[in-house]
Amino acid sequence: MKKIAIILSGCGVFDGAEIHETVLTMLHIEQLGAEYECFAPNLNQHHVINHLNGETQQGSRNILIEAARIARGNIHDLATLNASHFDALVVPGGFGVAKNLSDFAFSGANSTILDIFKAACQEFSQQNKPIAYLCIAPALIGHIHPQGTLTTIGNDPDTALATEQLGAKHVDCAANDIVIDLQQKVICTPAYMLANSISEASEGIAKAITQLIDMA
């Protein structure tokens, strides 16, 4: 049975991992006969957003503890992730990717990326293992993979430009489709960057996970 690692960035679309994308990822992995294990950095998230009104709240929350909500407690510190124990990697989206795993949400083409996250992704790549990036996560491909690696965040021109300025090559893509870089074994789908429903997001994620497991 193939084993897939999932890296989460918290819990909730506006300050953590996108919950629908994460759960759909888990579901499609399991339905395709593979198994998954979740990881998240044991650090405080950038800020806390009230998901009812979109306002910033006082206080701080831990990314790993928040991500444990989605993983039903079955999650590990990203520092313990060993690519040798897995066949592939998935990074769901959500603003946590752009606020906690990086500062792309604030700095775009001038952004930096969390070292421990970059190292984990590059370890999979160095072992020639495929990685699927969902939603906004493909925006970080230029930080992680060689220049010219194919990526997509859908079709937003400003975000696409920032990803290209970081070194990736952007390809416009519908929410229910995927972009594949066969040489780098990188798979991307826009998911909720474009999707108008959970069904539409599911279609693209299903294609991405199917491709991921086929390549693993």
Side-chain angles (χ1 to χ4, degrees), residues 88-122:
L89 172 65
V90 186
V91 185
F95 272 104
V97 173
K99 294 178 178 179
N100 302 332
L101 302 185
S102 72
D103 61 356
F104 184 85
F106 313 107
S107 302
N110 297 313
S111 60
T112 58
I113 187 172
L114 189 65
D115 287 341
I116 193 172
F117 171 65
K118 180 178 180 178
C121 294
Q122 288 186 333

Side-chain angles (χ1 to χ4, degrees), residues 38-56:
C38 295
F39 297 84
N42 188 13
L43 301 167
N44 283 342
Q45 60 190 54
H46 174 76
H47 59 192
V48 180
I49 298 294
N50 180 328
H51 279 60
L52 185 61
N53 59 23
E55 296 178 358
T56 303

Side-chain angles (χ1 to χ4, degrees), residues 55-189:
E55 296 178 358
T56 303
Q57 293 185 176
Q58 294 296 314
S60 63
R61 295 186 183 181
N62 178 278
I63 302 168
L64 178 60
I65 292 172
E66 290 300 294
R69 294 174 179 272
I70 310 178
R72 295 172 59 87
N74 187 15
I75 193 167
H76 308 284
D77 188 335
L78 181 56
T80 68
L81 175 55
N82 185 339
S84 299
H85 298 162
F86 295 89
D87 300 293
L89 172 65
V90 186
V91 185
F95 272 104
V97 173
K99 294 178 178 179
N100 302 332
L101 302 185
S102 72
D103 61 356
F104 184 85
F106 313 107
S107 302
N110 297 313
S111 60
T112 58
I113 187 172
L114 189 65
D115 287 341
I116 193 172
F117 171 65
K118 180 178 180 178
C121 294
Q122 288 186 333
E123 186 181 11
F124 276 85
S125 184
Q126 288 160 5
Q127 294 183 20
N128 202 32
K129 294 176 178 178
I131 307 176
Y133 297 92
L134 316 181
C135 191
I136 192 62
L140 303 186
I141 281 174
H143 279 297
I144 298 164
H145 297 276
Q147 190 165 13
T149 300
L150 298 183
T151 186
T152 189
I153 48 76
N155 58 19
D156 178 73
D158 291 337
T159 310
L161 177 61
T163 66
E164 293 210 322
Q165 289 173 332
L166 285 169
K169 180 175 176 55
H170 186 269
V171 180
D172 283 358
C173 181
N176 62 353
D177 208 352
I178 60 176
V179 168
I180 308 165
D181 189 310
L182 291 173
Q183 183 175 1
Q184 297 301 326
K185 289 193 171 182
V186 166
I187 305 141
C188 305
T189 188

